[in-house]
């Protein structure tokens, strides 16, 4: 098939591009380079089945895409870590809302199947644990995280309304914390923060007392879930994440053990609206997609740490 991946230079997007090319598809990668890096797809630059198109999805799409024969659209374009999406919150909202609008419009015109990469952040600081797909969430609409949380919630609204109004084929994935090679060193999320701090010998920054929990999914497991969802008959939404739950302090201790770092752990105040618990209920994905993450946290960290060693010039 011919497949469009927006945000294809990013962490998740670049892994998805590689998987789709490996399966024999033709891939158009659309990105503006805001947080994605061209080096993430460098291995594909000479592949005739790969094309990189520089564009910001918040702006009207190039008309050529309507005639490109696109059959599937994976919409992943949006900064996803707090330091990046909070740096320019209005831009984040425009990307989440107008970007989704433009891609849905393209899906309608081309008859493509559209997959929205939504997020566990639609649940906010959840009052239900673990979070099932029918939980409506607990989000502060005017807080510093709202530019991302609420733009993704509205993107889901827009996507389902588009299906109801235009009969466009849609799929919605709610992605939980994901990690692995190709993350930026300055990504700002906890796994990359801890690994980089440990490898540099810097103190590991734990916000709050470290008792807040997260569930960490290795990138290859997530990509498998996205591909299964896209090629399934179900619109979703589907939680895609690893249901194994760890405290932030446990993660810090695992990273220190695996890196052999002497770094101390320091505590800082908890950021505003930071979720205290985050764990996906994936019964729906297990039942309907036959999907279940295979990589436990320790194995995933062992696969990720060498990547950061190379990025930091430590080997």
């Amino acid at each position: 098939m011919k497949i469009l991946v927006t945000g294809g230079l990013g962490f998740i997007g670049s892994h998805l591009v590689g998987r789709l090319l490996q399966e024999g598809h033709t891939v158009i990668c659309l990105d503006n380079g805001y947080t994605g890096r061209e080096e993430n797809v460098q291995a594909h630059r000479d592949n005739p089945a790969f094309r990189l198109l520089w564009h910001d999805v918040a702006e009207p799409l190039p008309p050529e895409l309507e005639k490109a024969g696109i059959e599937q659209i994976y919409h992943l374009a949006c900064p996803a870590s707090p330091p990046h999406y909070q740096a320019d919150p209005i831009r984040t909202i425009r990307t989440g809302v107008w970007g989704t609008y433009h891609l849905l419009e393209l899906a309608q015109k081309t008859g493509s199947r559209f997959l929205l990469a939504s997020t566990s952040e639609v649940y906010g600081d959840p009052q239900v644990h673990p979070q099932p797909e029918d939980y409506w969430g607990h989000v502060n609409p005017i807080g510093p995280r709202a530019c991302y949380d609420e733009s993704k919630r509205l993107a889901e609204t827009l996507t389902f309304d588009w299906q109801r109004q235009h009969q466009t084929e849609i799929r919605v994935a709610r992605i939980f914390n994901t990690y692995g090679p190709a993350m930026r060193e300055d990504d700002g999320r906890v796994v990359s923060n801890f690994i980089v701090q440990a490898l540099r010998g810097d103190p590991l920054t734990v916000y709050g007392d470290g008792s807040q929990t997260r569930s960490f999914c290795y990138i290859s497991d997530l990509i498998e879930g996205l591909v299964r969802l896209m090629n399934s008959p179900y619109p979703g939404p589907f939680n895609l994440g690893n249901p194994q739950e760890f405290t932030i302090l446990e993660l810090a201790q695992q990273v220190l053990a695996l890196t052999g770092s002497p770094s101390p752990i320091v505590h800082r105040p908890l950021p505003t609206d930071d979720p205290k618990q985050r764990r996906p209920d994936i019964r729906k994905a297990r039942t309907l997609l036959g999907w279940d993450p295979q990589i436990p946290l320790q194995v995933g960290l062992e696969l990720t740490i060498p990547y950061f060693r190379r990025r930091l010039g430590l080997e």
Side-chain angles (χ1 to χ4, degrees):
M1 286 187 285
K2 182 166 275 192
I3 300 174
L4 175 66
V5 178
T6 72
L9 297 184
F11 162 50
I12 294 174
S14 61
H15 280 274
L16 178 61
V17 166
R19 166 70 180 265
L20 297 173
L21 288 169
Q22 189 178 20
E23 291 183 352
H25 302 296
T26 298
V27 177
I28 300 173
C29 166
L30 188 147
D31 205 299
N32 67 351
Y34 180 54
T35 57
R37 298 189 290 203
E38 193 172 0
E39 64 193 78
N40 286 343
V41 297
Q42 198 61 43
H44 313 308
R45 292 311 303 268
D46 296 329
N47 186 336
F50 173 79
R51 181 184 169 205
L52 174 57
L53 187 61
W54 294 98
H55 189 77
D56 186 338
V57 295
E59 303 298 331
L61 298 175
E64 65 191 88
L65 289 176
E66 293 178 28
K67 301 168 186 170
I70 294 166
E71 298 166 78
Q72 291 185 346
I73 299 169
Y74 287 88
H75 178 32
L76 280 69
C78 191
S81 72
H84 294 150
Y85 67 64
Q86 290 174 355
D88 190 343
I90 293 171
R91 181 178 189 161
T92 298
I93 294 166
R94 291 184 71 246
T95 300
V97 179
W98 279 109
T100 302
Y101 177 89
H102 291 142
L103 272 300
L104 282 164
E105 198 172 44
L106 178 66
Q108 180 189 347
K109 289 176 179 176
T110 58
S112 303
R113 183 177 292 178
F114 172 86
L115 185 146
L116 173 68
S118 187
T119 172
S120 60
E121 298 295 335
V122 300
Y123 300 122
D125 186 3
Q127 296 176 314
V128 171
H129 192 74
Q131 294 81 56
E133 288 88 351
D134 59 5
Y135 174 53
W136 291 355
H138 178 232
V139 175
N140 175 5
I142 59 171
R145 300 172 69 101
C147 60
Y148 184 67
D149 301 0
E150 294 288 32
S151 65
K152 286 292 189 180
R153 286 164 69 93
L154 184 51
E156 287 197 17
T157 302
L158 191 57
T159 299
F160 277 94
D161 279 338
W162 210 284
Q163 179 196 43
R164 286 186 279 264
Q165 199 164 325
H166 299 294
Q167 290 72 56
T168 301
E169 271 204 272
I170 64 153
R171 305 289 183 267
V172 174
R174 291 177 178 165
I175 298 172
F176 282 67
N177 294 60
T178 303
Y179 69 99
M183 294 183 87
R184 294 172 59 114
E185 304 92 290
D186 63 348
D187 179 85
R189 283 175 283 194
V190 67
V191 173
S192 53
N193 278 357
F194 282 174
I195 293 175
V196 169
Q197 288 170 339
L199 292 176
R200 286 177 170 161
D202 297 335
L204 269 63
T205 309
V206 170
Y207 294 97
D209 62 6
S211 64
Q212 66 272 34
T213 66
R214 295 293 184 272
S215 304
F216 303 103
C217 186
Y218 188 66
I219 184 63
S220 60
D221 282 332
L222 176 70
I223 297 302
E224 177 67 26
L226 289 174
V227 171
R228 286 194 185 206
L229 173 55
M230 174 64 94
N231 295 296
S232 79
Y234 307 108
F238 280 90
N239 288 336
L240 294 181
N242 193 317
Q244 284 190 309
E245 187 177 8
F246 296 88
T247 68
I248 297 301
L249 210 51
E250 286 173 332
L251 174 67
Q253 289 159 350
Q254 278 218 42
V255 169
L256 289 174
L258 292 171
T259 57
S261 172
S263 294
I265 292 173
V266 297
H267 293 265
R268 296 283 182 267
L270 201 61
T272 303
D273 299 329
D274 193 63
K276 296 169 195 67
Q277 290 181 301
R278 185 61 63 71
R279 176 186 164 201
D281 181 331
I282 64 166
R283 286 176 293 179
K284 187 174 172 182
R286 279 177 174 146
T287 303
L288 298 180
L289 305 180
W291 178 81
D292 210 342
Q294 301 298 305
I295 309 292
L297 180 60
Q298 180 173 331
V299 174
L301 291 173
E302 289 169 348
L303 293 168
T304 305
I305 289 167
Y307 161 78
F308 280 105
R309 283 192 197 278
R310 290 192 297 274
R311 292 290 310 173
L312 298 174
L314 297 176
E315 63 174 41

